[in-house]
């Protein structure tokens, strides 16, 4: 705040309206030291009077009921679906166990430092993303609005995935599972297997035809899929009910939504290790391919995964930490949550590869049986000589090792005509080498494996309930990244804003539950977040280290934490992290430019996926998503720099709610050389408040007089 500012206080007869009372009453009464804050004013006598008068009044901001609840909220936000279906794919694709090395290095270089930065600014300023960046640099206030827009885009399609999981969850209470076998089609003369299913597989057919009822292209809407529409509505109702009271409601749900996935993952790991072939899958995952580590693509994908795994730039991290005590050890939180996220990814990868190893073993056994029958036919027709077959081979109960021995012998003896025999090698490594990620892993590969589990409906219920909980944990943080900054800035009732936000998101989200909706999910996933979030986090880093000042920020952290953070963070924030982020931004732009923009369409006639380029209007949507997400940054910069909007009433003010009156101190931080804390102790620092609207029961806001000197 400016050093030469005064506050002239005046008693107000009107009372604070009910919404503010609700907001104030959400505090945890057991933590008085955290609840009470003092308004800092220019005149010491005025300050003392205020503190004395308002000492029994709680601070206006809600707080977490416990440290555990807060940690679970941050873990629930950072640990999401990507840990289950993205990390294992990247590990399989990029060198197995060797992929963990670049991932860990980049976690230390950009992950933990930037996560710590967001936690600390949210906790110190105690506002959402809009308020935080307004406070640090009003000209960069657009960063917070950009975060909100990205959160909204991501929430639109992320909740659709929760809807898909709810649909599969509801269908899992059957034995056998509905995706266990291909459906039969009856006509006047005979019964036959559904051709589309026969060409693909039972689980693939169920996903594309029964669940999505997918169209053949993005341009072919096909109308709403009513089953998925109901599931999407259910998903938004769950999110709305959980978030309507803010952290007071969502925080309690975190105990279940954050912990239950670990119970399921551990159960799946134990069950998976008992399955035949599971160790083959884990061995394949852990076998390092060190030569792949030298490829730049591996490091780019590891950096991207670190970036999105921790939820950087979304605003959810800042929103959650803003409800913390100011003297909370957020450095410990940053390290703890980051490594919990990492070990969750490793645990999920072990589970996935144990199950995929079991699935690959089953497929390999079928391959051995089918090709053994081919060899027997070739022996009967005389195309192969019985002398080639070792005497101990028994084709009626042949093992994979024996088949591979026979295969190698035939390949050497019949080298010239071997291809015409049509035999396959049936190597389990070949099946494990098929990279599967995203919906293909969860709704096709995993569901197929579970059909072979004993008590398969139970495991299916557990798996999809886990996906729902993982998705909800991330959704809570994403919605909090929208709700908290808007409530802080515009003083809207949280309950009303939450309901409106969920309703608007549901109706816009209907584009994702058309028959072509899966293609829109792919579009939003590829273009709505990646580049905008990278730009947002780069600007966050610049705002703290260059505009606010890294030295002042380190002093603030020392006062807040009670100890000086390692100089490691100083160099990471000032030099290394911005450089790595810029390289990642350039690499992402290059990769996006080299990859043809398009999507994989499901073709019913061939029962295969086929790459389609986006139509012209589709390309315009992709570009619009990126532009809209980052547009608030230049708009706010121009508006603030050119003074296009009258801000004389104090767009940035410290507000203290006290019984019967409101005390307001306008703050203009542009060009202010003082730190966030101005040398005051944590309990003395006022929480900044933004926006003109103060909760009042009538229009007599002019009764409050503000003077600056």
């Amino acid at each position: 705040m400016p050093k030469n500012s005064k506050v002239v206080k005046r008693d107000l007869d009107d009372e604070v309206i009910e919404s503010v009372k609700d907001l104030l009453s959400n505090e945890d009464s057991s933590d008085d030291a955290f609840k009470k804050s003092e308004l800092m004013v220019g005149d010491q006598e005025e300050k003392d009077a205020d503190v004395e008068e308002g000492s029994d009044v709680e601070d206006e901001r809600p707080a977490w009921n416990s440290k555990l609840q807060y940690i679970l909220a941050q873990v629930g936000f950072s640990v999401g679906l990507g840990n289950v279906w993205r990390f294992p794919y990247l590990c399989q694709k990029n060198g197995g166990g060797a992929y963990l090395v670049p991932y860990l290095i980049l976690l230390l270089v950009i992950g933990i430092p930037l996560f710590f930065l967001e936690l600390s600014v949210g906790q110190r300023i105690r506002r959402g993303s809009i308020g935080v960046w307004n406070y640090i640099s009003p000209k960069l206030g657009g960063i917070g609005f950009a975060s909100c827009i990205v959160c909204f885009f991501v929430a639109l399609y992320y909740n659709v995935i929760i809807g898909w999981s709810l649909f599969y969850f509801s269908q899992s209470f059957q034995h056998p599972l509905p995706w266990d076998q291909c459906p039969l089609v009856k006509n006047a003369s005979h019964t036959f297997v559904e051709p589309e299913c026969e060409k693909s597989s039972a689980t693939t057919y169920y996903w594309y035809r029964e669940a999505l009822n997918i169209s053949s292209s993005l341009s072919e809407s096909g109308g709403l899929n009513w089953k998925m529409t109901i599931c999407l509505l259910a998903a938004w109702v769950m999110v709305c009910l959980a978030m309507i009271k803010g952290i007071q409601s969502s925080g309690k749900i975190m105990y279940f939504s954050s912990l239950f996935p670990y119970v399921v993952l551990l159960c799946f790991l134990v069950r998976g290790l008992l399955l035949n072939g599971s160790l083959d899958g884990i061995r394949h995952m852990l076998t390092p391919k060190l030569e792949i580590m030298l490829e730049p693509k591996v490091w780019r994908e590891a950096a991207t995964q670190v970036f999105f795994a921790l939820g950087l730039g979304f605003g959810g991290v800042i929103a959650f930490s803003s409800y913390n005590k100011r003297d909370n050890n957020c450095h410990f939180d940053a390290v703890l949550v980051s490594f919990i996220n990492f070990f969750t990814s490793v645990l999920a990868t072990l589970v996935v590869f144990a199950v995929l190893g079991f699935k690959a073993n089953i497929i390999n056994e079928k391959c051995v049986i089918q090709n053994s029958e081919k060899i027997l036919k070739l022996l009967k027709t005389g195309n192969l000589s019985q002398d080639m077959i070792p005497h101990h081979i028994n084709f009626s109960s042949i093992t994979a090792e024996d088949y591979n021995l026979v295969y190698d012998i035939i390949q050497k003896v019949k080298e010239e005509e071997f291809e015409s025999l049509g035999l396959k090698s049936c190597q389990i490594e070949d099946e494990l080498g098929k990279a599967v990620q995203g919906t293909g892993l969860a709704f096709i590969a995993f569901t197929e494996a579970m059909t072979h589990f004993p008590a398969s409906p139970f495991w299916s219920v557990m798996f999809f309930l886990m996906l729902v909980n993982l998705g909800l944990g991330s959704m809570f943080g994403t919605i909090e990244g929208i709700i908290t900054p808007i409530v802080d800035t515009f003083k809207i009732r949280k309950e009303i804003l939450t309901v409106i936000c969920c309703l608007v998101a549901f109706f816009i989200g209907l584009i994702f539950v058309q028959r072509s909706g899966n293609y829109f999910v792919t579009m939003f996933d590829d273009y709505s977040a990646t580049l905008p979030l990278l730009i947002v986090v780069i600007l966050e880093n610049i705002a703290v280290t260059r505009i606010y000042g890294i030295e002042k920020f380190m002093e603030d952290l020392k006062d807040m934490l009670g100890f000086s953070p390692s100089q490691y963070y100083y160099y990471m924030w000032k030099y290394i992290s911005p450089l790595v982020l810029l390289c990642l931004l350039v690499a992402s732009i290059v990769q996006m430019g080299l990859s043809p923009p398009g999507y994989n369409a499901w073709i019913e006639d061939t029962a295969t996926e086929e790459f389609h380029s986006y139509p012209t209007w589709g390309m315009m949507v992709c570009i619009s998503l990126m532009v809209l997400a980052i547009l608030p940054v230049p708009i706010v910069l121009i508006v603030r720099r050119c003074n296009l909007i009258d801000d004389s009433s104090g767009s940035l003010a410290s507000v203290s709610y006290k019984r019967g009156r409101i005390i307001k101190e306008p703050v203009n931080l542009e060009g202010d050389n003082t730190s966030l804390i101005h040398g005051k102790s944590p309990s003395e620092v006022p929480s900044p408040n933004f926006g003109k609207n103060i909760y009042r029961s009538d229009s007599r806001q002019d009764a409050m007089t503000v003077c600056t000197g």
Side-chain angles (χ1 to χ4, degrees):
M1 296 184 295
K3 300 176 181 176
N4 298 323
S5 62
K6 291 185 179 180
V7 177
V8 178
K9 308 181 296 294
R10 182 172 179 180
D11 289 347
L12 303 178
D13 296 330
D14 51 333
E15 297 179 351
V16 181
I17 64 171
E18 192 64 23
S19 61
V20 176
K21 293 180 182 178
D22 293 341
L23 183 64
L24 302 181
S25 64
N26 279 338
E27 296 286 359
D28 183 4
S29 59
S30 64
D31 198 350
D32 293 334
F34 175 50
K35 305 301 176 173
K36 298 175 183 177
S37 61
E38 301 174 356
L39 175 67
M40 304 306 301
V41 295
D43 189 300
Q44 184 65 33
E45 292 181 2
E46 289 180 348
K47 183 191 80 170
D48 294 339
D50 288 344
V51 172
E52 182 181 356
E53 250 182 81
S55 59
D56 61 338
V57 181
E58 294 180 333
D59 185 17
E60 77 274 11
R61 193 165 190 79
W64 295 103
N65 289 330
S66 68
K67 180 65 174 283
L68 176 61
Q69 191 180 85
Y70 164 67
I71 292 296
L72 289 177
Q74 291 286 15
V75 168
F77 177 50
S78 66
V79 175
L81 297 173
N83 296 77
V84 174
W85 67 32
R86 176 71 177 165
F87 189 90
Y89 161 75
L90 291 174
C91 193
Q92 175 188 31
K93 176 185 174 186
N94 295 317
Y99 173 73
L100 300 180
V101 176
Y103 186 87
L104 268 174
I105 292 173
L106 291 165
L107 182 66
L108 296 173
V109 172
I110 63 172
I112 295 177
L114 294 175
F115 192 56
F116 180 30
L117 185 145
E118 289 201 356
L119 286 179
S120 56
V121 296
Q123 178 177 308
R124 190 51 169 175
I125 303 174
R126 302 196 71 206
R127 286 294 176 266
S129 55
I130 296 175
V132 160
W133 304 115
N134 262 331
Y135 187 81
I136 290 178
S137 175
K139 292 178 182 177
L140 289 180
I143 296 175
F145 289 99
S147 293
C148 289
I149 292 175
V150 173
C151 281
F152 186 71
F153 285 160
V154 171
L156 287 176
Y157 74 87
Y158 204 87
N159 222 26
V160 175
I161 301 173
I162 298 177
W164 293 342
S165 301
L166 284 173
F167 173 76
Y168 269 80
F169 172 75
S170 67
Q171 299 299 306
S172 297
F173 296 90
Q174 308 177 45
H175 187 75
L177 291 169
W179 51 83
D180 185 38
Q181 300 290 336
C182 284
L184 299 177
V185 179
K186 297 181 180 180
N187 60 16
S189 57
H190 63 286
T191 302
F192 56 93
V193 176
E194 170 64 50
E196 185 181 359
C197 184
E198 192 173 24
K199 293 174 186 176
S200 53
S201 68
T203 51
T204 303
Y205 173 82
Y206 190 86
W207 167 241
Y208 283 115
R209 192 54 53 210
E210 296 294 334
L212 300 181
N213 193 19
I214 200 165
S215 62
S216 58
S217 72
L218 182 72
S219 301
E220 183 185 338
S221 168
L224 289 178
N225 180 340
W226 68 267
K227 292 180 290 188
M228 288 305 170
T229 303
I230 294 174
C231 291
L232 179 63
L233 177 62
W236 276 115
V237 168
M238 292 169 64
V239 170
C240 184
L241 292 177
M243 297 297 301
I244 197 164
K245 288 293 183 181
I247 63 170
Q248 302 303 317
S249 54
S250 65
K252 294 179 175 63
I253 297 173
M254 287 295 177
Y255 287 111
F256 180 78
S257 65
S258 296
L259 294 176
F260 180 74
Y262 290 97
V263 175
V264 177
L265 285 174
L266 288 172
C267 291
F268 263 97
L269 182 61
V270 173
R271 185 70 190 93
L273 292 175
L274 299 175
L275 297 171
N276 186 29
S278 61
L279 294 179
D280 293 325
I282 293 176
R283 191 183 304 113
H284 178 82
M285 186 271 285
L286 294 177
T287 302
K289 302 177 183 65
L290 298 176
E291 66 280 0
I292 298 181
M293 282 179 56
L294 301 176
E295 298 180 10
K297 181 186 70 171
V298 175
W299 290 83
R300 178 182 63 79
E301 292 187 341
T304 304
Q305 179 64 16
V306 167
F307 186 86
F308 286 104
L310 295 176
L312 301 175
F314 281 94
V317 173
I318 294 175
F320 280 152
S321 66
S322 72
Y323 298 108
N324 257 334
K325 303 177 183 179
R326 285 198 184 89
D327 59 350
N328 173 63
N329 188 348
C330 54
H331 174 256
F332 172 80
D333 301 341
V335 175
L336 177 65
V337 173
S338 297
F339 278 101
I340 288 176
N341 187 290
F342 171 70
F343 288 119
T344 304
S345 297
V346 174
L347 174 63
T349 302
L350 290 173
V351 171
V352 167
F353 275 91
V355 173
L356 291 182
F358 166 68
K359 174 177 173 283
N361 193 271
I362 292 176
I363 293 175
N364 198 59
E365 287 178 359
K366 292 180 180 178
C367 177
V368 168
I369 293 172
Q370 292 172 354
N371 284 273
S372 296
E373 292 174 352
K374 287 184 180 180
I375 292 175
L376 285 174
K377 290 180 181 178
L378 292 171
L379 289 172
K380 290 178 181 179
T381 58
N383 291 334
L384 294 178
S385 171
Q386 187 68 44
D387 297 335
M388 297 180 186
I389 311 300
H391 297 293
H392 70 279
I393 300 296
N394 181 6
F395 282 103
S396 61
S397 58
I398 191 171
T399 63
E401 292 76 12
D402 288 341
Y403 171 77
N404 288 326
L405 175 62
V406 174
Y407 179 87
D408 291 337
I409 293 173
I410 296 174
Q411 188 178 33
K412 291 176 182 177
V413 175
K414 296 284 188 178
E415 184 175 357
E416 295 182 359
E417 52 185 303
F418 179 76
E419 290 187 8
S420 62
L421 299 178
L423 298 177
K424 296 181 179 179
S425 61
C426 296
Q427 297 287 338
I428 196 170
E429 287 78 12
D430 295 338
E431 188 64 32
L432 287 169
K434 296 178 181 178
V436 183
Q437 68 160 324
T439 54
L441 175 64
F443 298 106
I444 298 178
F446 233 84
T447 51
E448 183 176 345
M450 284 187 294
T451 58
H452 301 286
F453 280 22
S456 54
F458 169 78
W459 294 104
S460 183
V461 167
M462 293 283 282
F463 177 71
F464 289 109
L465 186 57
M466 178 189 73
L467 291 189
V468 170
N469 277 275
L470 285 172
L472 286 176
S474 297
M475 276 296 295
F476 293 158
T478 304
I479 297 298
E480 198 68 56
I482 303 171
I483 301 296
T484 295
I486 293 178
V487 168
D488 289 343
T489 305
F490 300 106
K491 296 302 173 205
I492 303 172
R493 284 198 58 157
K494 178 165 283 190
E495 297 89 343
I496 296 174
L497 179 61
T498 302
V499 172
I500 292 174
C501 181
C502 291
L503 278 174
V504 171
F506 167 71
F507 285 112
I508 297 177
L510 292 178
I511 65 173
F512 301 107
V513 290
Q514 305 173 94
R515 290 184 58 196
S516 60
N518 188 47
Y519 308 137
F520 284 97
V521 171
T522 301
M523 176 191 292
F524 272 66
D525 190 33
D526 290 341
Y527 292 97
S528 68
T530 306
L531 290 183
L533 281 180
L534 279 171
I535 295 172
V536 163
V537 176
I538 290 171
L539 292 174
E540 288 180 356
N541 198 299
I542 292 173
V544 171
T545 60
R546 307 292 175 181
I547 297 177
Y548 179 72
I550 185 66
E551 288 79 10
K552 289 189 292 180
F553 186 63
M554 295 295 284
E555 291 176 6
D556 293 345
L557 288 177
K558 179 180 178 181
D559 185 273
M560 183 169 69
L561 300 176
F563 62 88
S564 297
S566 169
Q567 286 297 303
Y568 169 80
Y569 293 104
Y570 177 91
Y571 293 107
M572 288 296 108
W573 286 331
K574 190 169 184 178
Y575 302 111
I576 307 300
S577 295
L579 181 62
V580 174
L581 286 172
L582 284 172
C583 291
L584 180 58
L585 178 63
V586 172
S588 299
I589 293 173
V590 171
Q591 189 268 338
M592 194 173 289
L594 294 177
S595 302
Y599 60 99
N600 290 320
W602 179 255
I603 308 303
E604 182 177 356
D605 294 337
T606 60
T608 57
E609 286 187 331
E610 182 179 291
F611 183 81
H612 285 186
S613 296
Y614 286 120
T616 303
W617 65 266
M619 284 300 303
M620 294 301 296
V621 173
C622 294
I623 296 171
S624 299
L625 289 174
M626 293 186 287
V627 172
L628 285 174
I630 207 65
L631 196 59
V633 175
I635 288 179
V636 173
L637 178 63
I638 294 171
V639 168
R640 291 270 167 84
R641 190 170 184 84
C642 301
N643 294 319
L644 299 180
I645 295 180
D646 180 22
D647 208 22
S648 58
S649 62
S651 64
L652 187 58
S654 176
V655 174
S656 177
Y657 293 89
K658 297 195 175 185
R659 199 161 34 199
R661 61 182 169 157
I662 299 171
I663 306 170
K664 181 176 178 182
E665 179 173 1
V667 182
N668 181 10
L669 290 181
E670 288 192 62
D672 184 17
N673 293 324
T674 56
S675 67
L676 291 178
I677 58 171
H678 309 285
K680 305 296 189 297
S681 64
S683 64
E684 294 175 329
V685 183
S687 296
N689 203 346
F690 308 96
K692 304 177 182 179
N693 184 17
I694 303 297
Y695 286 120
R696 300 286 302 281
S697 58
D698 60 31
S699 60
R700 288 184 295 168
Q701 190 165 353
D702 293 335
M704 177 180 60
T705 304
V706 179
C707 298
T708 57

